[in-house]
Structure formats: structure tokens, C-alpha cells
Amino acid sequence: MKRAISLVATVATLSVASAAAAMEHTVMILPDAYFPQVTYLKAGDSVRFVNASGVQHSIVAAGSDWTLGPIPNEGEAVLEVS
């Protein structure tokens, strides 16, 4: 199953970040939602998607700029923000 995810906050907050300031954020993939729904990211951060939806899952950015997956049920995938 593919769902579009909009990380509008990514575009709004991109800035030059040092490796020491990089953070890892976790987003849970649930059956009908992502938690949290909004994540504020900076360049150098990463997002760990944890699939707790019960099915294989792919994530497609709004505008299809990037895709991640398929992520198996109870699997994880990491997206590096540049």
C-alpha cells in the first residue's frame, strides 16, 4: 500500500546543520495514520519510520520527490534529510 506523506515542515525548516546537531526522529506508521503527523526537520537529520500497520508499507512524498519502501510489517527504514 502506498500513501503520500507531506513533510511540509521539512521544506520550511531546511538549513545547514552540523553533524553534531543532527537528530534522529521516529515516525510510527499506524493502520490509518502516521504518528506524529508533523515532524520538523533540518538538513542532516534522519527520520526512522517504524511500520506498525500490520501490512507492508511504502511512503511516497507529496509530489513524488522521494519514496521509501516497501517497509515490511514490523520493519523499519531510515530517511536521511539533505
Side-chain angles (χ1 to χ4, degrees), residues 2-13 27 33-41 47 49 57-68 79 81:
K2 290 187 179 183
R3 270 192 236 167
I5 180 171
S6 176
L7 295 177
V8 175
T10 303
V11 176
T13 63
V27 174
Y34 295 98
F35 181 80
Q37 289 183 342
V38 176
T39 302
Y40 296 94
L41 306 169
V47 182
F49 289 93
H57 194 88
S58 292
I59 300 171
V60 180
S64 299
D65 293 335
W66 54 265
T67 61
L68 189 63
L79 174 70
V81 179

Side-chain angles (χ1 to χ4, degrees), residues 20-31:
M23 294 182 60
E24 181 175 276
H25 306 269
T26 300
V27 174
M28 297 291 296
I29 304 168
L30 303 174

